[in-house]
């Protein structure tokens, strides 16, 4: 069986999903071209997908079981700025998995044509056999999931949690620094405490999860200081969450212009 794994690695995942490729199947790269810029990148991608890259002339004994692959990291955090390539890298990491649950934390795009185009672009490039769920209950999913998760992303999750907890300064997006406690008692300190509790729960679930998870998050601390209290609060909350999740991750990587910078402990 031949397939163009460089172009469509998800087809390998679909074969695994249907039981046509299993643990005793030799998956070997042959006739590799130059669509991947370097041999090191080819080797990296092949390892992600469970594909062996062997020198020309190698004789593969299909009567013997294939080498046991190195298990992937259970928890991966991919950080980057806007249009850095972090979402595409996350999809690449899980492309050859037989099953993946894609977790979308952002708005659906209703009423915003530009955002809707972004959502559709993400959806169109995902493998057809992946499942998708739109939710902010990340802690619950991390505790209950039985297939790999791709969470995209934590920045929109933090924004949604601020909305759900009515924690924005002033409760109406204003820039007042006094917390803007509203009549319902949920704005200001109470709302911020609720956001902190949600972040604590997410970190605990991330630490305890039994499934493979790849999460995308925004690195928001490299620019100018935001000019509003809401912007500063969002930046600080997401920055602290990124730090805590990175400490609990086997793999944390910064994506810059499509290039990967692993972040060692």
């Amino acid at each position: 069986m031949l397939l163009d794994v460089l172009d469509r690695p998800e087809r390998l995942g679909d074969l695994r999903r249907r039981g046509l490729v299993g643990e005793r199947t030799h998956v070997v790269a042959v006739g590799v071209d130059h669509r991947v810029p370097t041999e090191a990148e080819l080797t990296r991608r092949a390892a992600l997908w469970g594909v062996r890259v062997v020198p020309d002339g190698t004789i593969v004994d299909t009567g013997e079981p294939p080498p046991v692959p190195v298990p992937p990291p259970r928890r991966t955090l991919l950080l980057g700025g806007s249009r850095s390539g972090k979402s595409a890298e996350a999809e690449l990491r899980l492309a050859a998995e037989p099953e993946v649950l894609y977790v979308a934390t952002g708005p659906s795009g209703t009423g915003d044509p530009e955002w809707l185009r972004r959502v559709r672009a993400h959806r169109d490039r995902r493998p057809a056999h992946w499942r998708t769920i739109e939710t902010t209950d990340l802690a619950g999913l991390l505790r209950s999931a039985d297939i790999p998760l791709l969470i995209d992303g934590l920045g929109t999750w933090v924004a949604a949690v601020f909305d759900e907890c009515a924690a924005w300064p002033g409760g109406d997006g204003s820039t007042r620094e006094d917390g803007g406690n509203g009549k319902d008692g949920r704005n200001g300190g109470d709302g911020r405490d609720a956001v902190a509790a949600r972040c604590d729960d997410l970190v605990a679930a991330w630490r305890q999860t039994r499934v493979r998870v790849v999460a995308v998050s925004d690195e928001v601390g490299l620019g100018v200081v935001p000019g509003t209290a809401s912007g500063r609060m969002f930046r600080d909350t997401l920055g602290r969450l990124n730090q805590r999740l990175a400490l609990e991750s086997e793999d944390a990587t910064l994506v810059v212009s499509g290039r990967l910078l692993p972040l060692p402990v």
Side-chain angles (χ1 to χ4, degrees):
M1 181 183 303
L2 293 175
L3 60 87
D4 188 348
V5 72
L6 288 179
D7 183 53
R8 298 290 298 277
E10 69 272 14
R11 290 178 177 173
L12 179 56
D14 189 44
L15 292 174
R16 288 177 171 137
R17 181 181 64 88
R18 292 189 283 159
L20 299 177
V21 171
E23 294 181 356
R24 295 186 62 85
T25 305
H26 290 263
V27 184
V28 182
V30 297
V32 178
D33 55 36
H34 297 283
R35 280 172 291 170
V36 178
T38 66
E39 289 188 14
E41 177 62 11
L42 171 64
T43 301
R44 185 186 78 88
R45 294 191 187 190
L48 292 175
W49 303 330
V51 176
R52 293 168 59 197
V53 178
V54 298
D56 291 344
T58 298
I59 297 176
V60 177
D61 185 354
T62 58
E64 295 292 327
V68 177
V70 177
R74 180 180 300 178
R75 291 155 295 201
T76 295
L77 179 64
L78 297 175
L79 303 160
S82 177
R83 292 290 187 262
S84 62
K86 58 188 184 298
S87 293
E89 174 62 23
E91 294 162 11
L92 197 72
R93 298 284 179 108
L94 296 172
E97 289 286 341
E99 292 185 277
V100 174
L101 180 59
Y102 184 98
V103 186
T105 63
S108 62
T110 303
D112 186 339
E114 192 274 336
W115 185 264
L116 183 59
R117 286 193 295 271
R118 289 171 179 254
V119 172
R120 284 176 176 167
H122 276 258
R123 187 180 297 137
D124 290 345
R125 76 187 186 200
R126 293 199 294 267
H129 64 274
W130 283 15
R131 292 162 48 197
T132 299
I133 184 173
E134 296 178 2
T135 184
T136 58
D137 184 19
L138 299 186
L141 273 179
L142 286 166
R143 292 188 173 103
S144 63
D146 56 5
I147 62 174
L149 301 175
L150 193 163
I151 299 172
D152 196 355
L154 295 177
T156 49
W157 179 81
V158 168
V161 168
F162 266 85
D163 288 341
E164 293 171 6
C165 297
W168 296 109
D172 58 1
S174 71
T175 60
R176 286 156 48 196
E177 298 288 354
D178 59 3
N181 291 306
K183 294 180 180 179
D184 62 3
R186 295 186 62 211
N187 298 324
D190 289 346
R192 292 193 293 272
D193 289 345
V195 170
R198 291 282 296 274
C199 290
D200 289 345
D201 194 32
L202 174 58
V203 173
W206 180 270
R207 182 187 306 121
Q208 298 161 359
T209 189
R210 296 179 178 274
V211 298
R212 185 181 179 192
V213 56
V214 176
V216 174
S217 191
D218 304 286
E219 182 51 66
V220 292
L222 298 178
V224 298
V225 176
T228 66
S230 296
R232 292 189 292 274
M233 186 180 297
F234 172 82
R235 177 203 61 180
D236 293 348
T237 300
L238 182 57
R240 286 190 290 266
L241 179 63
N242 286 343
Q243 287 190 57
R244 296 175 68 188
L245 292 178
L247 286 172
E248 302 289 347
S249 300
E250 290 80 13
D251 176 17
T253 296
L254 179 65
V255 185
V256 181
S257 301
R259 299 294 184 93
L260 307 181
L261 297 174
L263 304 175
V265 178

